Short mmCIF file of all heavy atoms in Angstrom, two decimals:
data_model
loop_
_atom_site.label_atom_id
_atom_site.label_comp_id
_atom_site.label_asym_id
_atom_site.label_seq_id
_atom_site.Cartn_x
_atom_site.Cartn_y
_atom_site.Cartn_z
N TRP I 27 131.06 109.81 117.59
CA TRP I 27 131.46 108.42 117.41
C TRP I 27 132.97 108.36 117.20
O TRP I 27 133.59 109.30 116.67
CB TRP I 27 130.76 107.78 116.21
CG TRP I 27 130.97 106.30 116.16
CD1 TRP I 27 130.39 105.36 116.98
CD2 TRP I 27 131.84 105.57 115.29
NE1 TRP I 27 130.83 104.10 116.66
CE2 TRP I 27 131.73 104.20 115.63
CE3 TRP I 27 132.71 105.93 114.26
CZ2 TRP I 27 132.44 103.20 114.98
CZ3 TRP I 27 133.42 104.92 113.61
CH2 TRP I 27 133.28 103.58 113.96
N CYS I 28 133.55 107.26 117.66
CA CYS I 28 134.96 106.99 117.43
C CYS I 28 135.09 105.47 117.50
O CYS I 28 134.12 104.78 117.82
CB CYS I 28 135.82 107.65 118.52
SG CYS I 28 137.61 107.62 118.16
N LYS I 29 136.25 104.96 117.17
CA LYS I 29 136.44 103.51 117.24
C LYS I 29 137.60 103.19 118.16
O LYS I 29 138.71 103.70 117.96
CB LYS I 29 136.71 102.96 115.84
CG LYS I 29 136.69 101.46 115.81
CD LYS I 29 136.32 100.94 114.44
CE LYS I 29 136.09 99.44 114.50
NZ LYS I 29 135.44 98.93 113.32
N LYS I 30 137.31 102.36 119.16
CA LYS I 30 138.36 101.99 120.11
C LYS I 30 139.46 101.23 119.38
O LYS I 30 139.17 100.40 118.53
CB LYS I 30 137.76 101.15 121.23
CG LYS I 30 136.78 101.94 122.08
CD LYS I 30 136.27 101.15 123.25
CE LYS I 30 135.38 102.06 124.09
NZ LYS I 30 134.91 101.42 125.33
N ILE I 31 140.69 101.56 119.77
CA ILE I 31 141.81 100.99 119.00
C ILE I 31 142.87 100.32 119.88
O ILE I 31 143.64 99.49 119.40
CB ILE I 31 142.44 102.10 118.11
CG1 ILE I 31 143.45 101.52 117.13
CG2 ILE I 31 143.07 103.21 118.92
CD1 ILE I 31 143.97 102.51 116.11
N SER I 32 142.92 100.67 121.17
CA SER I 32 143.96 100.09 122.03
C SER I 32 143.51 100.18 123.48
O SER I 32 142.49 100.80 123.78
CB SER I 32 145.30 100.82 121.80
OG SER I 32 145.20 102.18 122.16
N GLY I 34 144.14 101.92 125.96
CA GLY I 34 143.87 103.26 126.49
C GLY I 34 142.44 103.72 126.23
O GLY I 34 141.94 104.63 126.88
N CYS I 35 141.79 103.10 125.26
CA CYS I 35 140.41 103.47 124.89
C CYS I 35 139.36 102.76 125.76
O CYS I 35 138.17 103.09 125.64
CB CYS I 35 140.13 103.09 123.45
SG CYS I 35 141.14 103.92 122.21
N ALA I 36 139.78 101.79 126.56
CA ALA I 36 138.79 100.91 127.22
C ALA I 36 137.72 101.70 127.96
O ALA I 36 136.53 101.37 127.88
CB ALA I 36 139.50 99.96 128.17
N ASN I 37 138.11 102.72 128.69
CA ASN I 37 137.13 103.50 129.47
C ASN I 37 137.01 104.92 128.89
O ASN I 37 136.99 105.90 129.64
CB ASN I 37 137.57 103.56 130.94
CG ASN I 37 137.67 102.19 131.54
OD1 ASN I 37 136.79 101.35 131.33
ND2 ASN I 37 138.74 101.93 132.28
N CYS I 38 136.90 105.00 127.59
CA CYS I 38 136.90 106.29 126.88
C CYS I 38 135.87 107.27 127.47
O CYS I 38 134.68 106.97 127.52
CB CYS I 38 136.59 106.03 125.41
SG CYS I 38 136.32 107.52 124.46
N TYR I 39 136.35 108.45 127.90
CA TYR I 39 135.43 109.43 128.51
C TYR I 39 134.45 109.97 127.48
O TYR I 39 133.32 110.31 127.80
CB TYR I 39 136.22 110.58 129.17
CG TYR I 39 136.76 111.59 128.18
CD1 TYR I 39 136.05 112.74 127.88
CD2 TYR I 39 137.96 111.37 127.52
CE1 TYR I 39 136.52 113.65 126.94
CE2 TYR I 39 138.44 112.26 126.59
CZ TYR I 39 137.72 113.40 126.30
OH TYR I 39 138.18 114.29 125.37
N ALA I 40 134.90 110.06 126.21
CA ALA I 40 134.02 110.59 125.17
C ALA I 40 132.85 109.64 124.93
O ALA I 40 131.71 110.06 124.78
CB ALA I 40 134.81 110.80 123.88
N GLU I 41 133.14 108.34 124.92
CA GLU I 41 132.08 107.35 124.76
C GLU I 41 131.11 107.43 125.94
O GLU I 41 129.89 107.42 125.76
CB GLU I 41 132.66 105.94 124.68
CG GLU I 41 131.60 104.87 124.48
CD GLU I 41 132.13 103.46 124.70
OE1 GLU I 41 132.88 103.25 125.68
OE2 GLU I 41 131.78 102.58 123.90
N TYR I 57 131.40 103.10 121.13
CA TYR I 57 132.53 103.43 120.25
C TYR I 57 133.17 102.14 119.73
O TYR I 57 134.38 101.91 119.84
CB TYR I 57 133.55 104.27 121.01
CG TYR I 57 133.23 105.77 121.07
CD1 TYR I 57 131.94 106.26 120.84
CD2 TYR I 57 134.22 106.70 121.37
CE1 TYR I 57 131.66 107.61 120.90
CE2 TYR I 57 133.96 108.05 121.44
CZ TYR I 57 132.67 108.50 121.19
OH TYR I 57 132.40 109.85 121.26
N CYS I 87 138.57 118.01 118.17
CA CYS I 87 138.11 116.61 118.08
C CYS I 87 138.41 115.86 119.38
O CYS I 87 138.94 114.74 119.35
CB CYS I 87 138.71 115.90 116.88
SG CYS I 87 138.07 116.54 115.32
N SER I 88 138.02 116.46 120.49
CA SER I 88 138.21 115.81 121.79
C SER I 88 137.31 114.59 121.96
O SER I 88 137.57 113.75 122.81
CB SER I 88 137.92 116.81 122.92
OG SER I 88 136.57 117.23 122.88
N MET I 89 136.24 114.50 121.16
CA MET I 89 135.28 113.40 121.32
C MET I 89 135.49 112.29 120.30
O MET I 89 134.73 111.32 120.25
CB MET I 89 133.85 113.94 121.17
CG MET I 89 133.48 115.00 122.18
SD MET I 89 133.39 114.38 123.87
CE MET I 89 131.78 113.62 123.86
N THR I 90 136.48 112.45 119.45
CA THR I 90 136.75 111.42 118.45
C THR I 90 138.22 111.53 118.05
O THR I 90 139.00 112.17 118.76
CB THR I 90 135.81 111.59 117.22
OG1 THR I 90 136.00 110.50 116.32
CG2 THR I 90 136.03 112.90 116.48
N ASP I 91 138.61 110.88 116.97
CA ASP I 91 139.98 110.96 116.49
C ASP I 91 139.94 111.55 115.08
O ASP I 91 139.41 110.92 114.16
CB ASP I 91 140.60 109.55 116.48
CG ASP I 91 142.10 109.56 116.23
OD1 ASP I 91 142.58 110.49 115.56
OD2 ASP I 91 142.79 108.64 116.71
N TRP I 96 137.57 106.72 109.28
CA TRP I 96 136.21 107.08 108.85
C TRP I 96 136.11 108.58 108.55
O TRP I 96 135.05 109.05 108.14
CB TRP I 96 135.19 106.71 109.93
CG TRP I 96 135.44 107.39 111.24
CD1 TRP I 96 134.92 108.57 111.67
CD2 TRP I 96 136.30 106.94 112.29
NE1 TRP I 96 135.41 108.89 112.91
CE2 TRP I 96 136.25 107.89 113.32
CE3 TRP I 96 137.12 105.81 112.45
CZ2 TRP I 96 136.99 107.76 114.49
CZ3 TRP I 96 137.85 105.68 113.63
CH2 TRP I 96 137.78 106.64 114.62
N LEU I 120 145.17 115.53 118.80
CA LEU I 120 145.73 114.34 119.45
C LEU I 120 145.17 113.10 118.76
O LEU I 120 143.96 113.03 118.52
CB LEU I 120 145.27 114.38 120.91
CG LEU I 120 145.97 113.55 121.96
CD1 LEU I 120 147.48 113.70 121.90
CD2 LEU I 120 145.44 113.97 123.33
N THR I 121 146.05 112.14 118.46
CA THR I 121 145.57 110.96 117.75
C THR I 121 146.18 109.68 118.31
O THR I 121 147.25 109.71 118.92
CB THR I 121 145.89 111.06 116.24
OG1 THR I 121 145.29 109.97 115.54
CG2 THR I 121 147.39 111.07 115.97
N LYS I 122 145.49 108.59 118.08
CA LYS I 122 146.07 107.26 118.31
C LYS I 122 146.36 106.59 116.98
O LYS I 122 146.65 105.41 116.92
CB LYS I 122 145.10 106.39 119.13
CG LYS I 122 145.00 106.78 120.61
CD LYS I 122 144.22 105.74 121.39
CE LYS I 122 144.25 106.00 122.89
NZ LYS I 122 143.39 107.09 123.32
N ARG I 123 146.26 107.36 115.91
CA ARG I 123 146.47 106.82 114.56
C ARG I 123 147.50 107.68 113.80
O ARG I 123 147.17 108.34 112.81
CB ARG I 123 145.12 106.79 113.81
CG ARG I 123 144.12 105.83 114.47
CD ARG I 123 142.70 106.13 114.09
NE ARG I 123 141.78 105.11 114.54
CZ ARG I 123 141.11 105.17 115.71
NH1 ARG I 123 141.27 106.20 116.54
NH2 ARG I 123 140.30 104.19 116.05
N SER I 152 148.67 109.85 121.63
CA SER I 152 148.38 109.30 122.95
C SER I 152 149.17 108.01 123.12
O SER I 152 149.26 107.21 122.20
CB SER I 152 146.90 108.93 123.09
OG SER I 152 146.11 110.07 122.97
N PRO I 180 145.65 107.32 129.54
CA PRO I 180 145.87 106.93 130.92
C PRO I 180 147.13 106.06 131.04
O PRO I 180 147.26 105.06 130.33
CB PRO I 180 144.62 106.09 131.25
CG PRO I 180 144.21 105.49 129.93
CD PRO I 180 144.58 106.51 128.90
S1 LIG E 301 140.75 107.22 120.21
FE1 LIG E 301 140.16 108.58 121.94
S2 LIG E 301 138.07 109.21 121.52
FE2 LIG E 301 138.51 107.43 120.22
S3 LIG E 301 137.77 105.64 121.40
FE3 LIG E 301 139.97 105.90 121.85
S4 LIG E 301 140.02 107.18 123.72
FE4 LIG E 301 137.95 107.38 122.82
#
Side-chain angles (χ1 to χ4, degrees):
W27 190 74
C28 191
K29 189 154 189 167
K30 294 185 176 184
I31 189 172
S32 62
C35 297
N37 300 316
C38 172
Y39 77 95
E41 181 192 43
Y57 277 20
C87 292
S88 63
M89 301 293 280
T90 186
D91 190 331
W96 59 92
L120 197 49
T121 186
K122 287 190 173 75
R123 295 160 171 94
S152 297

